[in-house]
Amino acid sequence: MTLTYRPAGNAQPWLAAGHQWASPGDLWQALHETHTLRARLLWEWRMPRVLAAACVGALLGLSGAVFQGVFRNPLAEPYLLGASGGAALGATVALLVPLGVPQSWLLPVLAFGGAWGSTVLVLTVARAAGALDAAGMLLAGVAMAAMLGAIRSFLMLALSDETVSLQVVMSWVLGGIQTPTWRGVGVLALITAACLLLTHAIARGLDLLGLGDATARSFGLDVARFVPRAVLLGSLVVAAAVAYGGLVAFVGLAAPHIARWLVGPRHAAVLPASALVGAIVVTLADAMARSVLPPAEVPLGLITAIAGGPFFIVLLARRLRAQGSGA
C-alpha cells in the first residue's frame, strides 16, 4: 500500500472515530490479528492516520511558536511569509500537471518545495530591498502570497478540464491529513523529531530576542544573522507540516498561546509544549472531520477554522485591551 492523497470524502477515519466507530475490542484485535478486513483497515489506515495527524499538529504548533518568538508578536502564525501560497502552488502543479511521477510522492515533495522556496524568495527580496526587519519580511510575504495565489488560480483555470480535479485541489487547500504507510509514518516521525531538536537549539536566542534587539546584542546574539536563520528554520517546519496535511488554519496560532499558559514564557519549554498541544488539537479535529457528517468527510481546515476563529477574536480583543490600558 502506498502513500496516496485522497479527497476528503474518501479518506479513512482514524482509530475509533469515523463513519463506523471501532470498539476497544476492535482496536485490540487490530493490534494482534490482521487477517480480518476490519482489523486490516484499522491497522493499515486508521492507526497510521492518527500518528500522521499528531505529527502534523506538532509541526504546526512548533512552527507557530518559532514565528511568534522571531516576530515578537503573539498574533504571528506559520503562514505569514507566503509558505501557504507556495505549498498550495506546488500541490496544484502536482495534482493537475502530468509529470510522469507517482502523485503520491510528487504531492508532498512539491508542496514542501513550494513552501520552503517561497520563504527563501521572501527573504531574498527583503534582503535585496534592505528590509530584513520583521516589518519588511512581513510586507514581502504578503506580496509573495498574493502573487503565488494568482498563479495558482490561473493554473486551476487553465489546466483543470473537469470538476473532479478542481475538487481535489480545493480539498487539499482546505486541509486534510494524508494516510501514509507505516514507513511513511516513520519518515514523518523522524522529520518531527529532527524539527524538535533543531528548534530547541534556537530556544535561547528566541528568549533573548524577546528582550529587545539591544539587550539581545549585549548578551552576544547576532540579531541580523539569527532572525533570517530562525525564519528559515520555522519555514522548514511548516513546510513539512503542509506537505503531509495541507493548509490547516489557526493551529499554529493557538497552540503556542495554550503552551505559554501551561508552562510559562521560556522557549525551551514552550517549543515542546506547543508541539504537544498542536498534536492533540489536530488529532481531535481530524477525528471530528471524519465523523461529523458520515459517510462524507469535512475538510480538516474547516474544523480548525471554525474552532480557531473565536479564539483569534478573543486573543485580539485581549491584546487591544492590554494596549489600551497601558497607554
Side-chain angles (χ1 to χ4, degrees), residues 257-280:
H257 286 278
I258 299 173
R260 282 191 288 270
W261 292 339
L262 295 174
V263 301
R266 295 286 299 274
H267 281 88
V270 167
L271 290 169
S274 298
L276 179 60
V277 172
I280 293 172

Side-chain angles (χ1 to χ4, degrees), residues 32-54:
H32 295 83
E33 302 176 16
T34 58
H35 61 277
T36 65
L37 177 60
R38 186 170 180 78
R40 287 187 62 191
L41 286 175
L42 290 173
W43 176 255
E44 296 178 5
W45 287 98
R46 292 193 185 183
M47 292 182 184
R49 191 179 189 94
V50 67
L51 295 176

Side-chain angles (χ1 to χ4, degrees), residues 55-150:
C55 288
V56 168
L59 291 169
L60 288 173
L62 199 59
S63 60
V66 171
F67 277 104
Q68 289 178 15
V70 169
F71 293 110
R72 287 165 282 187
N73 187 340
L75 300 181
E77 54 93 25
Y79 302 139
L80 275 177
L81 299 185
S84 60
L89 179 59
T92 301
V93 172
L95 292 169
L96 297 182
V97 179
L99 297 176
V101 180
Q103 194 180 91
S104 58
W105 293 99
L106 191 63
L107 176 61
V109 169
L110 289 187
F112 179 89
W116 173 253
S118 63
T119 304
V120 173
L121 191 56
V122 164
L123 290 177
T124 302
V125 170
R127 180 178 286 109
L132 270 178
D133 58 338
M137 286 189 287
L138 288 177
L139 289 174
V142 170
M144 188 61 61
M147 289 189 295
L148 293 174

